[in-house]
Amino acid sequence: MKIEIDLHEKSETYIKETFLRYTKTDESPFMKTIKHCIIHMYPCSDTYQDDGELNGYSDALNFRVSICDIENMTVYNSSFHDAIFTEVQCQVKYFKDLSTMMHFERPIQLIMGKGIHVIKPN
C-alpha cells in the first residue's frame, strides 16, 4: 500500500523552511527535560520479519522519529521504534509531510528504547 497526497507548492516550501530552522544534534534527549517538544513519527517498515515472525506489536509499524526541542531549535533523529507511550497530554496531528506529529506544550522527559516513553519531569 502506498499513500500519496498532493501538496500545494506553498505547503512543500513551508515544510522545507520549517525544518531548516532547526539545528541537528547528536545529543540524546534521554531523560533530558524538554519544555516544548514536537515528535514527528515517520513509518519506515512493517514489524514482521522476512521469515514471517512477528517483530513487535501486530498492529504497529516501525518508525523513525524527529524530536524537536522548540525552545532550543534543535532536532534529534532516532530510528526503529514501534510505539510511543505517554502520560502527558498532547495534540496529535498529521503533519504536511504525512508524518504523525505529537505536540507537547508542557515539559516532558523521554525514555528511549524500542518504545518511547514520554513522562512528566521529576
Side-chain angles (χ1 to χ4, degrees), residues 1-97:
M1 170 174 52
K2 187 174 182 179
I3 299 173
E4 291 184 24
I5 294 178
D6 290 330
L7 290 180
H8 190 281
E9 184 179 313
K10 289 181 181 178
S11 291
E12 291 179 358
T13 301
Y14 169 76
I15 292 167
K16 289 176 189 169
E17 289 175 353
T18 298
F19 286 109
L20 284 174
R21 293 181 186 143
Y22 289 87
T23 302
K24 292 181 183 177
T25 181
D26 292 328
E27 182 182 336
S28 172
F30 180 79
M31 293 303 291
K32 174 183 173 190
T33 297
I34 303 173
K35 292 183 182 176
H36 191 177
C37 181
I38 292 178
I39 299 175
H40 290 268
M41 298 178 286
Y42 301 89
C44 58
S45 67
D46 199 351
T47 53
Y48 285 91
Q49 298 173 11
D50 290 339
D51 63 4
E53 288 297 315
L54 182 64
N55 182 18
Y57 298 109
S58 60
D59 58 349
L61 291 174
N62 290 316
F63 57 87
R64 60 185 174 83
V65 295
S66 292
I67 300 168
C68 301
D69 181 336
I70 304 298
E71 185 173 279
N72 295 313
M73 295 304 291
T74 58
V75 62
Y76 173 81
N77 295 306
S78 183
S79 61
F80 207 68
H81 305 283
D82 65 0
I84 294 182
F85 307 95
T86 181
E87 63 180 38
V88 180
Q89 183 178 0
C90 69
Q91 296 176 8
V92 177
K93 303 175 188 175
Y94 285 107
F95 194 60
K96 289 188 177 278
D97 62 2

Side-chain angles (χ1 to χ4, degrees), residues 33-36 88 104-109 118-121:
T33 297
I34 303 173
K35 292 183 182 176
H36 191 177
V88 180
F104 297 90
E105 296 185 71
R106 57 185 58 164
I108 63 165
Q109 289 182 333
V118 181
I119 62 173
K120 296 174 186 174

